[in-house]
Amino acid sequence: MTTGSQTLPRVEAHLSPRRHILDLDDFTRDEIESLLDAAEAMREVLDRDIKKVPSLRGKVVITMFLEPSTRTRVSFEQAGKMLSADVINISGSGSSAEKGESLLNTALTLQAMRADLLVVRSPQSGAPYFLASNLDSMGVVNAGDGMHAHPTQALLDLMTMRRHLGSIEGAKVVIIGDVLHSRVARSDIHGLATVGAQVVLSGPPTMIPLEMLRGDVRHTPANVTVEPDLDRAIEGADVVMALRIQKERAAAGLLPSMREYTRRWMVSEARLAKAKPNALVMHPGPMNEGVEIASSIAHSPRAQIEEQVTNGVAMRMAVLYQSLAGQHGGDL
Ligand code: CP
């Protein structure tokens, strides 16, 4: 660990400029790899005793979370502050959204204050795209929109895998649970398919997107397959990723029952024994322990769940840097 060093790391990779980061579906493999490299440099800053560099001094970042969040909201704030940006947090409650101001008018107001970047989480799929197409100077980063996308979660997941596996290409990654309603799964699938992983989706057939269940090649990347039987899906896996089950889905008739779900799709010690001996266990959080993941697994040495959170700060530093200063490259 470096303690208070004035020596700053260098972002060797040239991050191509991107004012808006909305999902990974339009990222090339090189762009993803460059962000992973930049996040590694940021991780070095994060591991220092004095966690501060001047890279984004004078920039204003606003986080606007219209849904609950712990990991994403705090890590974006921490990331911005570590890069010396001024970070202002707003939420639905306490802002003029409560008086009926539209999302676009709220964003235009923040842009008029000369904010440089808006990090937004919204329950509405597509809201960050709508804002990005209507703002002319303020960038937009999607921190999770409805059931659609959560690109920075996918990037931090890729970072965590690459740190442990060396290369993600060809790795077998099993994503388990409610893929249909998961913005994390959707972005992970885009990112993993782009970097060449073999993705296997497992869960109740009612929770797998129909086009993927049917193997519709127009909507399913070649390296993504479906295996509803988790005992078969998990065989030889390099990465086992459980998704959070939203309990209200059982009430909506998409799950036989929570007990049945746990019996067939919980990541348990017995199931994990079928994966590779050093397989990584991941979960985006927050977890329902004893439902989608056994507590003994969630807190075992194989679980990377807390490391995902740590890498989330580094990745969000890289994303802020790319949006606000990435075109320059060079020293942090
Ligand atoms: N993974 C994730 O998005 O967690 P939060 O809802 O706590 O931000």
Side-chain angles (χ1 to χ4, degrees):
M1 183 176 74
T2 313
T3 52
S5 165
Q6 295 302 305
T7 309
L8 301 174
R10 211 179 144 69
V11 177
E12 296 293 349
H14 183 82
L15 290 170
S16 49
R18 258 183 195 268
R19 192 152 60 90
H20 309 300
I21 296 180
L22 304 173
D23 196 7
L24 297 189
D25 54 356
D26 62 346
F27 272 69
T28 64
R29 183 172 181 156
D30 279 351
E31 283 180 292
I32 290 177
E33 300 278 0
S34 296
L35 262 175
L36 297 179
D37 292 341
E40 288 297 337
M42 302 298 181
R43 177 69 202 249
E44 197 267 299
V45 175
L46 181 62
D47 289 339
R48 291 178 185 178
D49 193 28
I50 296 173
K51 305 168 179 56
K52 192 103 169 168
V53 289
S55 317
L56 297 185
R57 194 166 48 203
K59 298 291 184 183
V60 175
V61 175
I62 298 189
T63 75
M64 180 165 63
F65 277 67
L66 306 175
E67 271 189 345
S69 169
T70 299
R71 279 150 281 269
T72 314
R73 197 198 67 72
V74 175
S75 62
F76 265 115
E77 180 176 356
Q78 188 183 351
K81 287 179 171 171
M82 286 170 52
L83 293 173
S84 301
D86 292 306
V87 183
I88 298 163
N89 302 309
I90 62 174
S91 63
S93 90
S95 75
S96 286
E98 277 196 316
K99 293 187 274 186
E101 187 164 52
S102 71
L103 182 62
L104 178 57
N105 283 342
T106 301
L108 288 169
T109 300
L110 301 172
Q111 178 176 261
M113 293 173 184
R114 302 289 184 264
D116 296 290
L117 191 70
L118 179 66
V119 177
V120 61
R121 170 170 289 189
S122 167
Q124 307 298 333
S125 297
Y129 289 77
F130 174 68
L131 293 181
S133 62
N134 284 283
L135 296 169
D136 48 28
S137 64
M138 185 169 69
V140 177
V141 174
N142 183 2
D145 63 325
M147 300 191 312
H148 175 244
H150 196 349
T152 59
Q153 176 71 45
L155 287 164
L156 74 89
D157 288 342
L158 294 177
M159 178 183 179
T160 305
M161 290 179 211
R162 195 178 78 161
R163 282 176 79 86
H164 286 272
L165 302 176
S167 167
I168 307 171
E169 181 156 19
K172 180 176 178 180
V173 180
V174 183
I175 301 178
I176 306 155
D178 187 2
V179 176
L180 182 65
H181 300 97
S182 173
R183 57 194 176 204
V184 174
R186 215 172 290 278
S187 291
D188 269 327
I189 290 167
H190 283 307
L192 286 164
T194 302
V195 300
Q198 295 297 321
V199 182
V200 181
L201 308 176
S202 188
T206 48
M207 293 187 155
I208 304 290
L210 198 56
E211 67 277 11
M212 294 187 181
L213 200 60
R214 288 180 174 155
D216 181 343
V217 292
R218 289 168 304 166
H219 301 290
T220 311
N223 43 354
V224 178
T225 56
V226 176
E227 173 49 76
D229 182 338
L230 180 54
D231 290 296
R232 281 212 285 260
I234 209 167
E235 279 172 15
D238 296 283
V239 179
V240 176
M241 183 188 294
L243 300 172
R244 184 171 73 87
I245 275 291
Q246 295 168 36
K247 294 176 182 167
E248 64 274 20
R249 305 285 177 216
L254 291 171
L255 284 172
S257 68
M258 291 310 294
R259 180 194 286 242
E260 178 74 354
Y261 182 85
T262 296
R263 192 175 69 74
R264 295 183 61 179
W265 288 287
M266 182 175 77
V267 178
S268 63
E269 304 218 17
R271 288 210 166 96
L272 197 54
K274 296 174 184 167
K276 285 194 178 152
N278 56 351
L280 310 176
V281 177
M282 298 176 63
H283 191 301
M287 292 182 279
N288 298 299
E289 290 182 30
V291 177
E292 69 259 8
I293 186 167
S295 295
S296 58
I297 300 291
H299 300 286
S300 71
R302 291 166 84 173
Q304 305 304 319
I305 298 162
E306 287 177 23
E307 196 192 325
Q308 285 174 266
V309 175
T310 307
N311 292 337
V313 181
M315 180 50 74
R316 285 164 181 136
M317 291 169 75
V319 163
L320 294 181
Y321 187 79
Q322 180 179 36
S323 293
L324 292 168
Q327 60 269 42
H328 307 304
D331 291 331
L332 291 176

mmCIF file of all heavy atoms in Angstrom, residues 201-229:
data_model
loop_
_atom_site.group_PDB
_atom_site.id
_atom_site.type_symbol
_atom_site.label_atom_id
_atom_site.label_comp_id
_atom_site.label_asym_id
_atom_site.label_seq_id
_atom_site.Cartn_x
_atom_site.Cartn_y
_atom_site.Cartn_z
ATOM 1 N N LEU A 201 -27.427 -19.054 -18.602
ATOM 2 C CA LEU A 201 -28.487 -18.493 -17.769
ATOM 3 C C LEU A 201 -29.285 -19.638 -17.170
ATOM 4 O O LEU A 201 -29.656 -20.582 -17.883
ATOM 5 C CB LEU A 201 -29.412 -17.606 -18.612
ATOM 6 C CG LEU A 201 -28.721 -16.533 -19.459
ATOM 7 C CD1 LEU A 201 -29.745 -15.796 -20.314
ATOM 8 C CD2 LEU A 201 -27.956 -15.552 -18.565
ATOM 9 N N SER A 202 -29.551 -19.581 -15.861
ATOM 10 C CA SER A 202 -30.308 -20.644 -15.205
ATOM 11 C C SER A 202 -31.313 -20.030 -14.244
ATOM 12 O O SER A 202 -30.976 -19.108 -13.494
ATOM 13 C CB SER A 202 -29.352 -21.575 -14.446
ATOM 14 O OG SER A 202 -30.047 -22.699 -13.959
ATOM 15 N N GLY A 203 -32.532 -20.546 -14.258
ATOM 16 C CA GLY A 203 -33.566 -20.033 -13.370
ATOM 17 C C GLY A 203 -34.908 -20.559 -13.814
ATOM 18 O O GLY A 203 -35.002 -21.316 -14.795
ATOM 19 N N PRO A 204 -35.965 -20.179 -13.112
ATOM 20 C CA PRO A 204 -37.297 -20.601 -13.541
ATOM 21 C C PRO A 204 -37.555 -20.113 -14.968
ATOM 22 O O PRO A 204 -37.260 -18.949 -15.278
ATOM 23 C CB PRO A 204 -38.232 -19.893 -12.549
ATOM 24 C CG PRO A 204 -37.365 -19.521 -11.384
ATOM 25 C CD PRO A 204 -35.994 -19.317 -11.922
ATOM 26 N N PRO A 205 -38.073 -20.951 -15.842
ATOM 27 C CA PRO A 205 -38.302 -20.519 -17.230
ATOM 28 C C PRO A 205 -39.145 -19.250 -17.335
ATOM 29 O O PRO A 205 -38.991 -18.479 -18.284
ATOM 30 C CB PRO A 205 -39.010 -21.731 -17.852
ATOM 31 C CG PRO A 205 -38.490 -22.892 -17.060
ATOM 32 C CD PRO A 205 -38.329 -22.387 -15.657
ATOM 33 N N THR A 206 -40.001 -18.985 -16.331
ATOM 34 C CA THR A 206 -40.800 -17.753 -16.344
ATOM 35 C C THR A 206 -39.942 -16.517 -16.102
ATOM 36 O O THR A 206 -40.415 -15.391 -16.261
ATOM 37 C CB THR A 206 -41.872 -17.805 -15.241
ATOM 38 O OG1 THR A 206 -41.242 -18.229 -14.026
ATOM 39 C CG2 THR A 206 -43.006 -18.745 -15.595
ATOM 40 N N MET A 207 -38.691 -16.738 -15.701
ATOM 41 C CA MET A 207 -37.807 -15.606 -15.384
ATOM 42 C C MET A 207 -36.609 -15.511 -16.333
ATOM 43 O O MET A 207 -35.616 -14.850 -16.024
ATOM 44 C CB MET A 207 -37.324 -15.726 -13.941
ATOM 45 C CG MET A 207 -38.463 -15.556 -12.956
ATOM 46 S SD MET A 207 -37.861 -15.508 -11.279
ATOM 47 C CE MET A 207 -39.176 -14.572 -10.514
ATOM 48 N N ILE A 208 -36.705 -16.208 -17.456
ATOM 49 C CA ILE A 208 -35.674 -16.103 -18.495
ATOM 50 C C ILE A 208 -36.328 -15.418 -19.694
ATOM 51 O O ILE A 208 -37.445 -15.796 -20.083
ATOM 52 C CB ILE A 208 -35.176 -17.517 -18.922
ATOM 53 C CG1 ILE A 208 -34.653 -18.310 -17.716
ATOM 54 C CG2 ILE A 208 -34.117 -17.410 -20.024
ATOM 55 C CD1 ILE A 208 -33.358 -17.833 -17.122
ATOM 56 N N PRO A 209 -35.678 -14.405 -20.294
ATOM 57 C CA PRO A 209 -36.294 -13.748 -21.458
ATOM 58 C C PRO A 209 -36.671 -14.792 -22.521
ATOM 59 O O PRO A 209 -35.876 -15.678 -22.844
ATOM 60 C CB PRO A 209 -35.190 -12.804 -21.958
ATOM 61 C CG PRO A 209 -34.346 -12.546 -20.741
ATOM 62 C CD PRO A 209 -34.382 -13.811 -19.937
ATOM 63 N N LEU A 210 -37.877 -14.662 -23.042
ATOM 64 C CA LEU A 210 -38.435 -15.678 -23.943
ATOM 65 C C LEU A 210 -37.536 -15.934 -25.154
ATOM 66 O O LEU A 210 -37.326 -17.078 -25.554
ATOM 67 C CB LEU A 210 -39.826 -15.214 -24.401
ATOM 68 C CG LEU A 210 -40.744 -16.281 -24.981
ATOM 69 C CD1 LEU A 210 -40.934 -17.441 -24.002
ATOM 70 C CD2 LEU A 210 -42.094 -15.671 -25.351
ATOM 71 N N GLU A 211 -36.971 -14.846 -25.705
ATOM 72 C CA GLU A 211 -36.157 -15.028 -26.911
ATOM 73 C C GLU A 211 -34.912 -15.861 -26.597
ATOM 74 O O GLU A 211 -34.429 -16.622 -27.436
ATOM 75 C CB GLU A 211 -35.798 -13.682 -27.557
ATOM 76 C CG GLU A 211 -34.861 -12.777 -26.778
ATOM 77 C CD GLU A 211 -35.573 -11.929 -25.714
ATOM 78 O OE1 GLU A 211 -36.755 -12.186 -25.427
ATOM 79 O OE2 GLU A 211 -34.924 -11.004 -25.181
ATOM 80 N N MET A 212 -34.399 -15.730 -25.372
ATOM 81 C CA MET A 212 -33.211 -16.507 -24.989
ATOM 82 C C MET A 212 -33.611 -17.950 -24.671
ATOM 83 O O MET A 212 -32.898 -18.893 -24.998
ATOM 84 C CB MET A 212 -32.509 -15.858 -23.807
ATOM 85 C CG MET A 212 -31.936 -14.500 -24.164
ATOM 86 S SD MET A 212 -30.922 -13.792 -22.872
ATOM 87 C CE MET A 212 -30.467 -12.245 -23.648
ATOM 88 N N LEU A 213 -34.762 -18.111 -24.044
ATOM 89 C CA LEU A 213 -35.272 -19.453 -23.741
ATOM 90 C C LEU A 213 -35.475 -20.231 -25.041
ATOM 91 O O LEU A 213 -35.177 -21.423 -25.134
ATOM 92 C CB LEU A 213 -36.593 -19.315 -22.987
ATOM 93 C CG LEU A 213 -37.091 -20.483 -22.167
ATOM 94 C CD1 LEU A 213 -36.098 -20.867 -21.066
ATOM 95 C CD2 LEU A 213 -38.434 -20.143 -21.523
ATOM 96 N N ARG A 214 -35.953 -19.535 -26.062
ATOM 97 C CA ARG A 214 -36.198 -20.182 -27.362
ATOM 98 C C ARG A 214 -34.929 -20.298 -28.202
ATOM 99 O O ARG A 214 -34.953 -20.888 -29.279
ATOM 100 C CB ARG A 214 -37.206 -19.349 -28.160
ATOM 101 C CG ARG A 214 -38.614 -19.438 -27.628
ATOM 102 C CD ARG A 214 -39.504 -18.572 -28.507
ATOM 103 N NE ARG A 214 -40.903 -18.705 -28.142
ATOM 104 C CZ ARG A 214 -41.812 -17.770 -28.377
ATOM 105 N NH1 ARG A 214 -41.456 -16.633 -28.960
ATOM 106 N NH2 ARG A 214 -43.067 -17.962 -28.038
ATOM 107 N N GLY A 215 -33.840 -19.635 -27.741
ATOM 108 C CA GLY A 215 -32.599 -19.661 -28.525
ATOM 109 C C GLY A 215 -32.723 -18.862 -29.807
ATOM 110 O O GLY A 215 -32.105 -19.186 -30.822
ATOM 111 N N ASP A 216 -33.530 -17.810 -29.779
ATOM 112 C CA ASP A 216 -33.714 -16.969 -30.962
ATOM 113 C C ASP A 216 -32.389 -16.261 -31.277
ATOM 114 O O ASP A 216 -31.957 -15.360 -30.546
ATOM 115 C CB ASP A 216 -34.822 -15.954 -30.665
ATOM 116 C CG ASP A 216 -35.112 -15.034 -31.831
ATOM 117 O OD1 ASP A 216 -34.271 -14.953 -32.748
ATOM 118 O OD2 ASP A 216 -36.173 -14.388 -31.816
ATOM 119 N N VAL A 217 -31.750 -16.675 -32.362
ATOM 120 C CA VAL A 217 -30.396 -16.184 -32.658
ATOM 121 C C VAL A 217 -30.365 -14.691 -32.980
ATOM 122 O O VAL A 217 -29.319 -14.052 -32.857
ATOM 123 C CB VAL A 217 -29.740 -16.978 -33.815
ATOM 124 C CG1 VAL A 217 -29.454 -18.398 -33.391
ATOM 125 C CG2 VAL A 217 -30.623 -16.939 -35.060
ATOM 126 N N ARG A 218 -31.524 -14.118 -33.338
ATOM 127 C CA ARG A 218 -31.524 -12.680 -33.657
ATOM 128 C C ARG A 218 -31.357 -11.843 -32.393
ATOM 129 O O ARG A 218 -30.921 -10.711 -32.438
ATOM 130 C CB ARG A 218 -32.842 -12.284 -34.335
ATOM 131 C CG ARG A 218 -32.986 -12.808 -35.760
ATOM 132 C CD ARG A 218 -34.400 -12.639 -36.232
ATOM 133 N NE ARG A 218 -35.335 -13.291 -35.314
ATOM 134 C CZ ARG A 218 -36.649 -13.092 -35.309
ATOM 135 N NH1 ARG A 218 -37.183 -12.246 -36.145
ATOM 136 N NH2 ARG A 218 -37.430 -13.732 -34.452
ATOM 137 N N HIS A 219 -31.757 -12.396 -31.241
ATOM 138 C CA HIS A 219 -31.744 -11.618 -29.995
ATOM 139 C C HIS A 219 -30.810 -12.194 -28.940
ATOM 140 O O HIS A 219 -30.778 -11.698 -27.824
ATOM 141 C CB HIS A 219 -33.169 -11.534 -29.426
ATOM 142 C CG HIS A 219 -34.140 -10.903 -30.359
ATOM 143 N ND1 HIS A 219 -34.109 -9.563 -30.659
ATOM 144 C CD2 HIS A 219 -35.145 -11.424 -31.102
ATOM 145 C CE1 HIS A 219 -35.067 -9.288 -31.522
ATOM 146 N NE2 HIS A 219 -35.702 -10.384 -31.817
ATOM 147 N N THR A 220 -30.090 -13.262 -29.264
ATOM 148 C CA THR A 220 -29.249 -13.909 -28.266
ATOM 149 C C THR A 220 -27.826 -14.028 -28.800
ATOM 150 O O THR A 220 -27.618 -14.652 -29.846
ATOM 151 C CB THR A 220 -29.787 -15.325 -27.948
ATOM 152 O OG1 THR A 220 -31.186 -15.233 -27.690
ATOM 153 C CG2 THR A 220 -29.092 -15.930 -26.741
ATOM 154 N N PRO A 221 -26.836 -13.425 -28.110
ATOM 155 C CA PRO A 221 -25.457 -13.585 -28.584
ATOM 156 C C PRO A 221 -25.082 -15.071 -28.647
ATOM 157 O O PRO A 221 -25.596 -15.889 -27.886
ATOM 158 C CB PRO A 221 -24.625 -12.860 -27.512
ATOM 159 C CG PRO A 221 -25.586 -11.948 -26.820
ATOM 160 C CD PRO A 221 -26.933 -12.602 -26.907
ATOM 161 N N ALA A 222 -24.173 -15.402 -29.573
ATOM 162 C CA ALA A 222 -23.823 -16.812 -29.821
ATOM 163 C C ALA A 222 -23.300 -17.497 -28.571
ATOM 164 O O ALA A 222 -23.501 -18.698 -28.391
ATOM 165 C CB ALA A 222 -22.789 -16.878 -30.937
ATOM 166 N N ASN A 223 -22.621 -16.748 -27.712
ATOM 167 C CA ASN A 223 -22.010 -17.390 -26.538
ATOM 168 C C ASN A 223 -22.889 -17.302 -25.286
ATOM 169 O O ASN A 223 -22.395 -17.358 -24.174
ATOM 170 C CB ASN A 223 -20.603 -16.824 -26.267
ATOM 171 C CG ASN A 223 -20.539 -15.316 -26.408
ATOM 172 O OD1 ASN A 223 -21.502 -14.676 -26.819
ATOM 173 N ND2 ASN A 223 -19.413 -14.732 -26.047
ATOM 174 N N VAL A 224 -24.201 -17.156 -25.471
ATOM 175 C CA VAL A 224 -25.150 -17.151 -24.345
ATOM 176 C C VAL A 224 -26.136 -18.304 -24.535
ATOM 177 O O VAL A 224 -26.790 -18.403 -25.575
ATOM 178 C CB VAL A 224 -25.912 -15.807 -24.261
ATOM 179 C CG1 VAL A 224 -26.921 -15.831 -23.118
ATOM 180 C CG2 VAL A 224 -24.927 -14.652 -24.072
ATOM 181 N N THR A 225 -26.232 -19.195 -23.535
ATOM 182 C CA THR A 225 -27.167 -20.312 -23.607
ATOM 183 C C THR A 225 -28.010 -20.343 -22.328
ATOM 184 O O THR A 225 -27.698 -19.658 -21.352
ATOM 185 C CB THR A 225 -26.430 -21.660 -23.765
ATOM 186 O OG1 THR A 225 -25.505 -21.796 -22.676
ATOM 187 C CG2 THR A 225 -25.690 -21.751 -25.083
ATOM 188 N N VAL A 226 -29.050 -21.171 -22.362
ATOM 189 C CA VAL A 226 -29.961 -21.299 -21.216
ATOM 190 C C VAL A 226 -29.968 -22.752 -20.752
ATOM 191 O O VAL A 226 -30.066 -23.664 -21.576
ATOM 192 C CB VAL A 226 -31.397 -20.862 -21.617
ATOM 193 C CG1 VAL A 226 -32.367 -21.091 -20.458
ATOM 194 C CG2 VAL A 226 -31.412 -19.397 -22.036
ATOM 195 N N GLU A 227 -29.847 -22.971 -19.440
ATOM 196 C CA GLU A 227 -29.995 -24.307 -18.849
ATOM 197 C C GLU A 227 -30.774 -24.135 -17.547
ATOM 198 O O GLU A 227 -30.211 -23.793 -16.506
ATOM 199 C CB GLU A 227 -28.618 -24.939 -18.580
ATOM 200 C CG GLU A 227 -28.658 -26.258 -17.825
ATOM 201 C CD GLU A 227 -29.652 -27.255 -18.396
ATOM 202 O OE1 GLU A 227 -29.337 -27.845 -19.425
ATOM 203 O OE2 GLU A 227 -30.760 -27.425 -17.811
ATOM 204 N N PRO A 228 -32.093 -24.363 -17.600
ATOM 205 C CA PRO A 228 -32.900 -24.124 -16.379
ATOM 206 C C PRO A 228 -32.483 -24.993 -15.198
ATOM 207 O O PRO A 228 -32.647 -24.555 -14.046
ATOM 208 C CB PRO A 228 -34.328 -24.449 -16.840
ATOM 209 C CG PRO A 228 -34.309 -24.264 -18.325
ATOM 210 C CD PRO A 228 -32.940 -24.672 -18.765
ATOM 211 N N ASP A 229 -31.952 -26.183 -15.448
ATOM 212 C CA ASP A 229 -31.547 -27.074 -14.347
ATOM 213 C C ASP A 229 -30.196 -26.599 -13.796
ATOM 214 O O ASP A 229 -29.153 -26.776 -14.429
ATOM 215 C CB ASP A 229 -31.434 -28.505 -14.883
ATOM 216 C CG ASP A 229 -31.061 -29.492 -13.783
ATOM 217 O OD1 ASP A 229 -30.498 -29.065 -12.744
ATOM 218 O OD2 ASP A 229 -31.316 -30.690 -13.963
#
